[in-house]
Amino acid sequence: MADDYYQLLGVSRSADAKEIQRAYRKLARKYHPDVNKQPGAEDRFKEISEAYHVLSDPESRAQYDRFGPEFRRYAGAEREYASQSAGGAGGGGGGRSRARPGASGFSWSSAQAGAGPGGASVDWDDLFGDVFGSRRGMDSEAELELTVEEAFHGGPRTVVLAGPDGERQTFEIRIPPGALDGQRIRVSGGGRPGRQDGGAGDLVITLKVRPDRRLRLDGKNIEMDLLISPWEAALGASVSTRAPGGPITVRVPPGSSSGRRLRLKGQGMPQPGGKPGDLFARVKIMVPPHLTDRERELFEQLKRESAYDPRSSS
């Protein structure tokens, strides 16, 4: 808090009540947190509000002029002394609470409520005029999780959220086909209520596309696991599988190892009005968990006859 309330408001020590009020109105318009989102603006607003509430009340201003920044401490001590003196003289001293040294007497909540420590009240409608007289409500934000397939196809979706007062709010939205992770959908009027005729804000929903054990999203490209047998990997094969867009056939070249990525151009996420993404099938070789006697015999024969060593650097 600045040491001098007059300097904080930018007025002289001889300023009258109207000058103090004009100075405060100008500064409050500039630093009110609902108007100024810059770091430190709210703290500045609290300081100028404290100065105004002290200087706008004749009694607290007189105490401030007499004792300076520590006026509450000394004024409180003076009142207590006067009370005790009056009691000793038979005048009865109770009724006033003791001032607490160092207390500011101002809080952000009290400023919002329009009441200050000196008894002065602030009419925010009058103070900010058209700034707060009719003001659009704030936007609300939410997240919506989708699977890759749900994002691929899009379609209608019901979203249920808790409102500002705890009530349930239901919104019907439409997910565009090919929705991407982080994409935002704006629901007009789904946010917080506005002031007077300002209208409600919007509801902004951020889409989160979660991977599963088969499908992953990379931008507008889709990556999926392609499960094949050891002989399909060694000999090559045409493998039928299911992709988000429907059944597909993937041509696996001979000698494909696990981790090889096979690109299917244009079969990724659809982009209405734009170029679709690609689908990448990542080879994953699966071994039979249980071998028949004949399968074991064939693998044993392959083991004896093959010179291939996967751990060889060559």
Side-chain angles (χ1 to χ4, degrees):
M1 177 66 65
D3 288 340
D4 191 294
Y5 287 172
Y6 292 98
Q7 291 181 4
L8 192 59
L9 293 178
V11 298
S12 68
R13 300 188 75 84
S14 60
D16 60 23
K18 290 185 177 180
E19 289 179 89
I20 291 173
Q21 185 183 55
R22 281 197 299 267
Y24 174 65
R25 289 165 66 95
K26 179 179 179 181
L27 292 170
R29 277 179 173 268
K30 181 177 180 181
Y31 291 108
H32 194 285
D34 285 347
V35 176
N36 191 330
K37 303 298 183 182
Q38 295 296 318
E42 182 173 336
D43 290 338
R44 187 69 169 175
F45 177 75
K46 291 178 181 179
E47 291 179 348
I48 63 176
S49 295
E50 161 76 347
Y52 171 70
H53 284 298
V54 170
L55 300 184
S56 63
D57 179 76
E59 182 180 350
S60 61
R61 181 179 180 179
Q63 293 170 352
Y64 178 80
D65 288 344
R66 182 178 180 185
F67 297 111
E70 298 294 321
F71 74 98
R72 289 189 179 88
R73 176 183 303 178
Y74 295 112
E78 184 181 63
R79 285 196 301 269
E80 183 176 357
Y81 175 77
S83 174
Q84 292 174 349
S85 298
R96 293 195 180 188
S97 62
R98 180 175 180 177
R100 182 160 51 94
S104 70
F106 174 79
S107 68
W108 171 228
S109 59
S110 67
Q112 287 180 311
S121 63
V122 181
D123 186 342
W124 297 112
D125 289 336
D126 176 66
L127 175 62
F128 288 99
D130 57 352
V131 177
F132 292 135
S134 176
R135 188 159 58 96
R136 180 179 178 273
M138 296 180 65
D139 290 346
S140 298
E141 295 192 357
E143 288 187 355
L144 176 62
E145 278 198 348
L146 302 171
T147 66
V148 175
E149 290 192 279
E150 288 172 336
F152 183 95
H153 294 287
R157 186 90 175 207
T158 300
V159 178
V160 180
L161 301 172
D165 298 322
E167 76 279 10
R168 289 164 62 89
Q169 294 180 304
T170 302
F171 300 93
E172 300 294 333
I173 66 172
R174 177 166 291 277
I175 308 297
L180 302 180
D181 186 60
Q183 186 169 334
R184 293 156 71 88
I185 295 177
R186 184 174 291 271
V187 181
S188 180
R192 294 185 177 274
R195 183 183 180 89
Q196 296 184 17
D197 298 327
D202 296 339
L203 170 63
V204 181
I205 300 175
T206 301
L207 303 180
K208 297 295 182 182
V209 183
R210 66 174 184 269
D212 57 35
R213 61 187 184 89
R214 288 188 61 248
L215 302 171
R216 296 165 294 278
L217 197 61
D218 181 14
K220 62 180 182 178
N221 297 327
I222 300 173
E223 186 175 278
M224 61 177 290
D225 290 336
L226 182 66
L227 309 183
I228 64 174
S229 65
W231 45 92
E232 289 173 329
L235 303 175
S238 293
V239 179
S240 296
T241 188
R242 181 177 59 86
I248 60 171
T249 299
V250 182
R251 171 85 167 76
V252 180
S256 293
S257 297
S258 286
R260 182 171 186 174
R261 296 171 81 231
L262 306 174
R263 179 185 180 191
L264 288 81
K265 190 175 181 179
Q267 296 198 42
M269 297 295 275
Q271 299 294 293
K275 184 179 179 182
D278 297 331
L279 175 65
F280 290 89
R282 184 180 291 273
V283 171
K284 189 174 183 179
I285 300 174
M286 306 298 290
V287 176
H290 305 287
L291 298 177
T292 65
D293 291 342
R294 179 56 179 163
E295 287 172 333
R296 180 175 296 278
E297 180 183 339
L298 291 174
F299 273 111
E300 291 287 353
Q301 181 180 350
L302 179 61
K303 176 183 175 181
R304 291 192 300 270
E305 296 185 8
S306 177
Y308 175 63
D309 181 2
R311 292 166 296 281
S312 173
S313 59
S314 61

